[in-house]
Amino acid sequence: MENIPNAVVKRLPMYYRHLGELKESGVERISSGELSERMNVTASQIRQDLNHFGGFGQQGYGYNVESLHTIIGNILGLNKKYHVIIVGAGNLGRALANYTNFEKSGFVITGIFDINPDLKGEIIRNVSVSHIDELETFLKRNKVDIAALTVPKAVAAGLADRMVKFGVNAFWNFAHVDLKVPEHVIVESVHLSDSLMRLSYSLSNLEK
Amino acid sequence: MENIPNAVVKRLPMYYRHLGELKESGVERISSGELSERMNVTASQIRQDLNHFGGFGQQGYGYNVESLHTIIGNILGLNKKYHVIIVGAGNLGRALANYTNFEKSGFVITGIFDINPDLKGEIIRNVSVSHIDELETFLKRNKVDIAALTVPKAVAAGLADRMVKFGVNAFWNFAHVDLKVPEHVIVESVHLSDSLMRLSYSLSNLEK
């Protein structure tokens, strides 16, 4: 794939989600105008975005929902299987582990780790929780594509370093810290506090 | 406040986070250059961003960490108190309820609701879980600034509608759906799947 602008990549999951909903409700084709109204993005933006990948619409016909859904899924890499471990078996880690949709999209949870020895052996969604001390041994024996970091920020960086050493190249980071990692390592952060602050910013400016 | 570009607003929580960390580690002042290195944003971007709010640096001195932290906190509306309810007491709802940092920043959880009658009366972080049928009564009696929606997507829109009718104007939406709400209502969505897909996109393009 050529270099796709970041803003386009950010919108792809939204396209995928809406096309999935349309597919589920039995819609077979949709014009960029209808898609635009549904998604709150201009029709020309949609056409431009999709042109990065070759453009899939037909003049006067619109987009075939099912095939566009599949194509965008493939672009997003959802036609592959990913081995995911969850580091931190607190509420957030459990929420991720129990989210069945992730598995449907190819993200298979193969390990869950926690520092609390009381949790060791607990079964969460068919996976037995291991103690964090077993992390390196696990990584030596199993290929891990993505590690979800659902731990306090004080320990997140140290854990990421440990995993990078054992070949983990992608982190889904929920710790409230920007991880410093080698350049080849991918970090996708979900900073819940940042999101909440954007909400309070909007609220507090609304009230003025 | 004049109209601040969205991209700037999106970066403000990151500034706030880094300044908070610097403050905690005892740093009193910082140049835009040092801040830039730390945050992976260019120094001119930082100066530009902060100029929207008057600009706070002094030539040759840099920024006063503590005062800039406070000022950005105020811009983000963190000097106010928000009454938050959590709708959906599953793992994700519990994770939010138990996140003490939110309370420190002024987000006080005043109610937790769930459709599961077995959860009624359970105490999560000093708040007793109510049945979802009690939502309207609660909203009549209590001012709610923000409702966190941690429910399955099939019920999210219906619940949001019910709350909008009773004056809730801001949603922190974790349901995997784009909510349609009246124009005056604020929605900040955290689509975890979208984030995971951006990760698989990066992974799958890395491998090529």
Side-chain angles (χ1 to χ4, degrees), chain B residues 87-88 113-116 130-136 159 162:
Chain B
V87 180
F113 297 86
D114 202 279
I115 200 170
N116 180 353
S130 306
H131 191 268
I132 194 73
D133 287 349
E134 301 167 57
L135 188 59
E136 277 84 356
L159 283 167
R162 277 167 66 180

Side-chain angles (χ1 to χ4, degrees), chain A residues 117-138:
Chain A
D118 294 343
L119 298 184
K120 189 177 160 160
E122 188 189 332
I123 307 291
I124 303 176
R125 240 190 117 59
N126 299 325
V127 177
S128 168
V129 177
S130 306
H131 191 267
I132 195 72
D133 287 349
E134 302 167 57
L135 188 58
E136 277 84 356
T137 314
F138 183 91

Side-chain angles (χ1 to χ4, degrees), chain A residues 4 17-18 38 75-76 80 91 98 172 176 178 180 188 190-192 194-195 198 200-201 204, chain B residues 4 17-18 38 75-76 80 91 98 172 176 178 180 188 190-192 194-195 198 200-201 204:
Chain A
I4 308 296
R17 184 169 72 244
H18 282 277
R38 191 187 163 94
I75 294 168
L76 286 167
K80 297 176 192 164
N91 285 308
N98 283 305
W172 197 18
H176 192 45
D178 288 333
K180 298 254 177 225
E188 166 76 24
V190 179
H191 289 313
L192 295 180
D194 288 16
S195 165
R198 286 194 290 273
S200 71
Y201 174 87
S204 109
Chain B
I4 308 296
R17 184 169 71 244
H18 282 278
R38 190 186 164 95
I75 293 169
L76 285 167
K80 297 177 192 164
N91 285 309
N98 283 305
W172 198 19
H176 192 44
D178 288 333
K180 298 254 176 223
E188 166 76 23
V190 179
H191 289 312
L192 295 181
D194 288 16
S195 164
R198 285 195 291 272
S200 72
Y201 174 87
S204 112

Side-chain angles (χ1 to χ4, degrees), chain B residues 64-170:
Chain B
N64 177 305
V65 170
E66 187 169 349
S67 88
L68 188 56
H69 185 250
T70 306
I71 290 166
I72 292 182
N74 292 351
I75 293 169
L76 285 167
L78 300 179
N79 49 341
K80 297 177 192 164
K81 212 169 124 178
Y82 300 93
H83 292 163
V84 180
I85 60 171
I86 293 177
V87 180
N91 285 309
L92 192 54
R94 280 158 200 264
L96 300 184
N98 283 305
Y99 197 55
T100 52
N101 265 350
F102 292 152
E103 212 169 288
K104 281 188 214 147
S105 307
F107 302 92
V108 184
I109 293 166
T110 56
I112 302 176
F113 297 86
D114 202 279
I115 200 170
N116 180 353
D118 294 343
L119 298 184
K120 190 178 160 159
E122 188 189 333
I123 307 291
I124 303 176
R125 240 188 118 58
N126 300 325
V127 177
S128 168
V129 177
S130 306
H131 191 268
I132 194 73
D133 287 349
E134 301 167 57
L135 188 59
E136 277 84 356
T137 313
F138 184 91
L139 294 176
K140 267 187 224 164
R141 292 189 190 146
N142 302 279
K143 183 174 178 281
V144 169
D145 301 300
I146 298 170
L149 266 174
T150 47
V151 294
K153 72 171 180 178
V155 298
L159 283 167
D161 287 347
R162 277 167 66 180
M163 291 189 264
V164 166
K165 273 188 201 129
F166 284 82
V168 178
N169 287 330

